[in-house]
Structures are given as structure tokens and as C-alpha cells.
Amino acid sequence: MDLPKFSLDAEILSQEQMAENVYRMTVHCPQIAGVAQPGTFVQMRLLGGDVLLRRPLGIAEAEREKGTLSFLYRVLGKGTAAFSRLRPGAQVNLLGPLGHGFCMDLHRPLLVGGGMGLSPLLFYARCMEKRADVLMGGRHAGEMFWTELFKPYVSKSYLATDDGSLGSKGFAVSLLPKLLEKGEYDAVIACGPEIMMERAAEMAKAAGIPCQVSLEKRMACGLGACLSCSVDASDGTRKKVCKDGPVFWAEEVFP
Amino acid sequence: MNGGLLKTELAGISMNTPVLTASGTFGFGEEFAEFVDLSLLGGVMVKGTTRKPRRGNAGVRIAETPSGMLNCIGLENPGVDVFLQETLPRLMPYHMNVIVNISGTTVEEYGVLAEMLDVPGVAAIELNVSCPNVKDGGIVFGTDPKAAASVVKAAKKWTKKPVILKLSPNVTDIVLMAKAVEAAGADAISLINTLLGMEIDIHTWRPTLGNITGGLSGPCVKPVALRMVWQVAQNVKVPVIGMGGIASWQDAVEFFLAGASAVAVGTANFVNPHAAMDIIRGLEAYLQEKKLGSIRELVGKMDCG
Ligand SMILES: Cc1cc2nc3c(=O)[nH]c(=O)nc-3n(C[C@H](O)[C@H](O)[C@H](O)COP(=O)(O)OP(=O)(O)OC[C@H]3O[C@@H](n4cnc5c(N)ncnc54)[C@H](O)[C@@H]3O)c2cc1C
Ligand SMILES: Cc1cc2nc3c(=O)[nH]c(=O)nc-3n(C[C@H](O)[C@H](O)[C@H](O)COP(=O)(O)O)c2cc1C
């Protein structure tokens, strides 16, 4: 089902730095907050300035009562750098909610997220009201503010950092087979680097449970029109990450 | 809306407004239905359609540039059969002028596509002889006046629909191209397609785009597009559809003054999904303010003193 879409100016309520180059922006946008589903995203546009195209950002939090949306994003290039310089009171334009979100019809999902991929999983965890556990991967302890963010919404969290400065050392997915062993989970919901999601999908398959992944591709329109973000699907058709995704069942897009 | 003012006719196509949307930037129109009243547009030039489905280019397909973007989509599309069987019937309820942008690999293929698309529900066909992102054909027809003329003749022979030829800016003499396709029977000329460009990642020393080169569009190309529209409009009798970097009604007014009978909005749709609607409203207000009775009173009226 497609959600109604809006293109609106939204006021920035807060902008905080969470770690080096990582920010949380909260905006007032009741229309989008009212209908957004976990896994859907917005195309954020800078008003004025020298950035032309919108940038896709997953929705990290949507507070329906307050009418607010939050985004957690890493500064990579000119667009995200410009976002990080905006102060409360400034406006951005949001096009959204876009795409299809995660399956909500699960009893005990295990969330697997790496880096900024944890952002849409936060919204999902919150909607699951403690029924989900989360396995998190990050570069180093400095980036693991995520543990605090997830704590109120998940029942257990597991963690790995590339340098071992917090949690286990190495890739988060290496912990996955052990977590899936007990047969406690009914699905794996993954968002992060593609290689991480591919491995998570393989392990879920080996454990006999379904897996959803959220793909990331450069996109321009966000509406399925420009075909910047299309990918090959396993059945030989082409899928648009912005419109058919960004969330797919792993077997739809991974061989 | 005070109808009338913006109503126009171009190559036999009656249009509620002279504002169209450019091929490849607006899907099949339906993707934008929540933001644009499609029946108010002069037409939707739908995504480039080919005889067989195409998966397009591998790798990164877009990059932002100063005031613009590069793309190398590579004409990804489901092919004309799917367009006719599935897409076109779905578009009927929108009551819009569907202008099908077609690309062939041979002159004959343009004829075949033109004939297949000579069906109710198609308002016109636009010949894309200038897609810079496909290696087979495309650019060759777009840069050689004789080849472009033969493509027009092939299409005209097989369809009764108006035939619009879309010119590439990647030529030395745009007027020569325009005269050649007019002589071959084109009912209208649209320009410009994208300008060939590229970007290199200085950290990896690799091209940003999967296809190495891509087509430049957006505000940065507007001055070039405007100049070409002006040059062409003075030298042909057929109507010109101007496009290239149009993002506001003010931009559109410049194109009309340069000689365009209609304009098309491209990259701006990505920035603002209701850009075309905003342009329509702005044009109408401008005509009222200038006390003009029709958009036609603006066309080609640049005053060089
Ligand atoms: C559906 C979706 C949801 C996303 N959600 C988030 C999120 O919640 N938090 C977050 O930090 N990031 C998210 N991203 C990635 C984010 O959109 C990019 O990091 C951003 O567009 C980069 O823009 P820039 O101007 O800063 O970089 P640019 O100057 O455009 O490029 C800098 C670098 O970013 C890469 N890049 C450019 N565009 C994209 C893109 N669309 N996707 C991925 N990489 C890109 C380029 O390869 C380049 O190396 C998401 C992407 C998608 C497709
Ligand atoms: C992503 C993208 C895809 C395009 N695809 C096509 C196409 O399939 N056929 C075509 O004739 N032109 C295509 N174009 C060119 C546009 O129709 C238009 O001529 C050009 O972008 C200039 O207008 P603009 O600056 O307003 O975008 C494409 C442009 C973009 C940005």
C-alpha cells in the first residue's frame, strides 16, 4: 500500500551532534509524522544555498502526538554538511513519507544494523514495544550512542565494534549464528552496509527464518520516476529502491 | 484558474497550458499525480521508450554538479509492448496529452516504433536522437543532419500523429540540425537534450558515473538552452518546445521571449514535485499583470532594440 505523500516546509526544532560527524535533527512536520511507517524515508531539500537535489534520509523517530520527526545522519558530502549547519528555527523541505517500510506483522524480530542503518531500525524498535532485540555494529565506541537510544524500546541489545572498543570486536553479523541458534526469533530485519545485509540474509536463511533488508542507492526524485536507483531483482525484473523499496524481502533482491 | 490565457495549440495538439514535462524526469506522469494536475499540463513526455526492454547502465547513475546534475540512466524502460499493453491504459483516466519519447538503434526501428504508437491515447511522438547515454545509435542520429532527417522521414511515414524531433545540444551548428529536420517534415522541434559531461572522484581516481560520461541538466544549462532555442526559433517555421534548466515561471518567460511556443520542465521536478504547477500559476499571473490575452503574445518577443 502506498502512503499519502507530502512536500512541505518543516521547521527545525533541534539539531544535536551525537558523535563525530553524526547528527540528530528533529523537525515539526505533523502531516508526515502522522502517516510515516518504520523503514519509510523522506527526501530532504535545502531551501536556498547551493545544493540542488534532495537527499534521502530514513525516519529515525516519528512522534505522532507532537507532530515531530527525527533523522540521524552522517555528514558525508555537501548535502549532509549543509544540513548539519542548519540551526533550530530554520526550515527544510521534506518530501515523504516515501517507499515501503518493514513488515510489522512479526512477534519477535531480531534487528541487525550497522552504522547509520540503525536509524530506521530505531523507529521500528519503538513500534515493536520491547518485542524486538537489536544487534548493533559500529566503527568504535564513540559511535555507540545507539545503545542509549535503543535501550527503552528493545528487550536485549548486542553490540560489536570494528576495533573492539565496545562490545565484541569485529563485525556484528559474526554474532548472528549464535543468536539465531535458540530459534527465538521469527525474522531478521537488517539495515546497514550491503555486505552486512547479504550475510545477515544468508544466516537467517540457514536458520529458516525470513529476512528483510533496506537498500541504499543514489536517488533523485524519490517517486519512481527518474530510475536512478533501480536494481536487478532475483526474478529478472527491475525494482526501484525508492518506490518498490527501500525495504525488500532478502530473496527478492539477493541471489 | 482563469482558463483561456494559457490555452494553446502546438502541431495540432491542443494544450490547456504551454507547460509540459520533459522525458525521463517525470516517469509516466502518474508518479507525480499527487502533486500535479496532469490534465493542466500541455503534455507529459514520457520516459524514453525502445523496441525492446532496456535495463540501462550499471553503476552510479547520477551525480550532483554545481547547479545541476549528471545522469547516465541509459534509457532503462520496459519496452514498447509493455508500454502499450500496461502503461498506456493506466494513463487514460488522467486525461493528459501523452507524448511518447522514442529511441531507435536504426532508422527503420524509429518507423516501427512510430507505427506501433499510432494508437488512440497517444497525442504525439517525440524522437530522441540525442540520448548521450547509449552507445548504440542515439548520438549518431543526433549529430548528423542527414541521419536526423532520415529518422524524421521514417517516423512520419508510419504515423499520423504529430512528430516532434528532440535536438541534441552536442553539435557545432544547432540551426543546421533544426533546418534539416524541419525540411524532413518534423511537426515541431524540442530542445535541448542534456549536454555531455563527466565527473572524476579525486580520491579513487575513478569516474563517478558507471558510464563514465553522462548528460548534464538543471539550472546550469539554462543559458545554453535559451541561446539555442533563440537561434532555432528564428530559423524555422515549426513550433519550438524549449527546455533546459527551467525551474521557475521567470525562466519559462525567458524561453517564450526567445521564441519557444511551449516549454518543458525537467530536472526541476526532482527538486520540487509541483514545479510545473507553480510555473503554470506564475505564468498566468504574469500574463494578467502584463495585460496579455494569450501566451502567444509573448512568443519570440525579445526586443533587441
Ligand atoms: C532510502 C535511504 C535512506 C537513507 N537514510 C539515511 C539515514 O537515515 N542517515 C544517513 O546518514 N544517511 C542515510 N542515507 C544516505 C544519505 O542519503 C547519503 O549519505 C547522502 O545522500 C549523501 O549526500 P551528501 O550530499 O552529503 O553527499 P554527496 O556529496 O552527494 O556524496 C558524498 C558521498 O555520499 C555518497 N552518496 C551520495 N548520495 C548517496 C545516496 N543517495 N545514498 C548513499 N550514498 C550516497 C556518495 O557515494 C559519496 O561518496 C540514506 C539513503 C537512502 C537511499
Ligand atoms: C534523469 C534524466 C533522464 C532523462 N531521460 C531522457 C530520455 O529518456 N529521453 C530524452 O529525450 N531525454 C531525457 N532526458 C533529458 C530531459 O528530457 C531534458 O531534455 C534535459 O534534462 C534538459 O532539461 P532540464 O535541464 O530541465 O532537465 C533526461 C534527463 C534526466 C535528468
Side-chain angles (χ1 to χ4, degrees):
Chain A
M1 192 198 67
D2 287 333
L3 299 169
K5 300 181 195 79
F6 303 91
S7 168
L8 299 161
D9 289 350
E11 185 184 338
I12 298 176
L13 301 176
S14 67
Q15 172 94 272
E16 9 165 4
Q17 186 162 5
M18 309 298 286
E20 199 187 351
N21 290 326
V22 180
Y23 294 81
R24 169 155 74 179
M25 181 196 288
T26 302
V27 303
H28 183 68
C29 191
Q31 296 90 335
I32 297 179
V35 292
Q37 293 288 325
T40 62
F41 65 102
V42 303
Q43 278 275 52
M44 187 179 286
R45 172 184 165 205
L46 207 68
L47 297 165
D50 62 352
V51 180
L52 180 72
L53 298 175
R54 293 167 182 270
R55 298 293 190 272
L57 290 179
I59 298 171
E61 291 161 292
E63 304 250 13
R64 305 223 197 282
E65 317 73 55
K66 290 194 228 158
T68 61
L69 291 171
S70 302
F71 308 100
L72 281 147
Y73 63 98
R74 185 192 302 281
V75 171
L76 271 185
K78 119 175 161 175
T80 46
F83 293 152
S84 73
R85 288 191 294 267
L86 297 171
R87 291 292 151 250
Q91 309 241 320
V92 284
N93 184 277
L94 301 181
L95 171 63
L98 301 174
H100 292 84
F102 298 110
C103 175
M104 304 303 292
D105 192 17
L106 295 169
H107 298 290
R108 184 108 176 88
L110 176 62
L111 314 184
V112 181
M116 299 317 295
L118 284 159
S119 161
L121 295 180
L122 183 63
F123 185 8
Y124 185 79
R126 188 164 179 172
C127 294
M128 280 287 146
E129 299 173 320
K130 295 248 176 195
R131 281 184 284 135
D133 287 352
V134 64
L135 168 58
M136 300 181 251
R139 295 183 191 171
H140 50 77
E143 285 194 352
M144 294 320 278
F145 56 86
W146 294 107
T147 36
E148 290 304 310
L149 292 177
F150 273 92
K151 210 188 234 162
Y153 311 123
V154 291
S155 86
K156 283 197 215 97
S157 47
Y158 305 92
L159 138 96
T161 48
D162 293 354
D163 64 358
S165 53
L166 195 68
S168 314
K169 180 174 159 68
F171 293 123
V173 271
S174 321
L175 305 177
L176 197 53
K178 193 131 188 61
L179 293 175
L180 296 179
E181 223 165 52
K182 281 179 275 170
E184 200 183 328
Y185 301 111
D186 59 351
V188 167
I189 301 289
C191 186
E194 197 148 314
I195 179 82
M196 184 212 85
M197 295 192 290
E198 277 174 19
R199 291 196 53 205
E202 281 164 27
M203 292 168 182
K205 193 173 177 187
I209 56 173
C211 176
Q212 281 194 319
V213 297
S214 179
L215 299 188
E216 193 178 312
K217 278 273 164 192
R218 287 194 192 202
M219 48 184 67
C221 70
L223 299 168
C226 71
L227 305 183
S228 304
C229 66
S230 41
V231 294
D232 281 317
S234 317
D235 65 1
T237 64
R238 300 280 292 169
K239 300 271 186 207
K240 298 160 191 167
V241 170
C242 68
K243 192 164 187 261
D244 304 318
V247 177
F248 295 95
W249 292 103
E251 65 273 15
E252 285 183 277
V253 285
F254 291 157
Chain B
M1 242 195 67
N2 170 355
L5 281 188
L6 291 177
K7 262 203 185 334
T8 192
E9 188 255 29
L10 187 149
I13 316 164
S14 70
M15 301 181 172
N16 282 331
T17 69
V19 179
L20 295 84
T21 50
S23 176
T25 67
F26 206 67
F28 294 106
E30 53 187 346
E31 294 87 345
F32 284 81
E34 273 169 280
F35 302 103
V36 172
D37 178 348
L38 300 170
S39 69
L40 272 188
L41 297 175
V44 173
M45 294 154 137
V46 302
K47 178 63 196 171
T49 297
T50 52
R51 181 70 191 83
K52 295 274 173 253
R54 285 181 60 98
R55 67 178 299 290
N57 289 317
V60 169
R61 290 180 165 190
I62 52 164
E64 183 161 331
T65 67
S67 296
M69 68 180 285
L70 289 163
N71 90 81
C72 62
I73 309 297
L75 285 182
E76 173 165 352
N77 80 96
V80 69
D81 294 322
V82 172
F83 174 78
L84 285 168
Q85 282 150 32
E86 295 173 23
T87 317
L88 191 58
R90 218 166 54 219
L91 301 183
M92 292 302 186
Y94 295 112
H95 303 291
M96 59 183 177
N97 286 324
V98 176
I99 299 174
V100 187
N101 178 272
I102 61 173
S103 265
T105 48
T106 60
V107 171
E108 295 71 40
E109 208 171 274
Y110 280 95
V112 172
L113 285 163
E115 186 183 19
M116 292 177 79
L117 290 160
D118 193 356
V119 295
V122 171
I125 57 172
E126 181 185 43
L127 309 177
N128 177 7
V129 287
S130 51
C131 183
N133 302 320
V134 293
K135 290 184 188 75
D136 40 355
I139 204 86
V140 185
F141 298 122
T143 53
D144 174 3
K146 283 202 196 74
S150 56
V151 167
V152 172
K153 281 187 196 138
K156 281 298 288 180
K157 183 170 169 202
W158 293 102
T159 182
K160 289 175 289 299
K161 306 278 180 193
V163 171
I164 303 164
L165 186 116
K166 183 165 181 177
L167 288 178
S168 166
N170 303 309
V171 294
T172 319
D173 186 347
I174 193 86
V175 174
L176 186 73
M177 294 296 300
K179 284 182 168 167
V181 300
E182 178 183 49
D187 299 292
I189 292 174
S190 59
L191 73 164
I192 60 173
N193 207 315
T194 54
L195 283 139
L196 208 47
M198 65 191 283
E199 184 185 276
I200 304 171
D201 183 327
I202 62 158
H203 302 293
T204 61
W205 297 13
R206 299 177 61 83
T208 302
L209 296 176
N211 196 45
I212 305 177
T213 60
L216 183 66
S217 64
C220 61
V221 309
K222 198 196 89 181
V224 177
L226 193 63
R227 181 266 295 176
M228 288 188 162
V229 164
W230 174 65
Q231 288 180 322
V232 167
Q234 290 175 78
N235 284 287
V236 297
K237 288 185 194 67
V238 293
V240 169
I241 304 173
M243 66 188 87
I246 297 175
S248 66
W249 65 264
Q250 291 93 334
D251 294 337
V253 169
E254 281 191 81
F255 276 80
F256 289 114
L257 291 171
S261 295
V263 295
V265 183
T267 301
N269 296 309
F270 303 157
V271 178
N272 170 8
H274 44 79
M277 290 303 278
D278 296 351
I279 291 171
I280 288 172
R281 293 205 189 92
L283 279 178
E284 194 178 44
Y286 179 78
L287 292 185
Q288 279 164 347
E289 185 206 309
K290 295 282 177 199
K291 302 202 166 23
L292 296 173
S294 158
I295 189 74
R296 287 159 183 254
E297 294 174 37
L298 268 188
V299 176
K301 292 295 163 60
M302 178 173 75
D303 179 1
C304 294

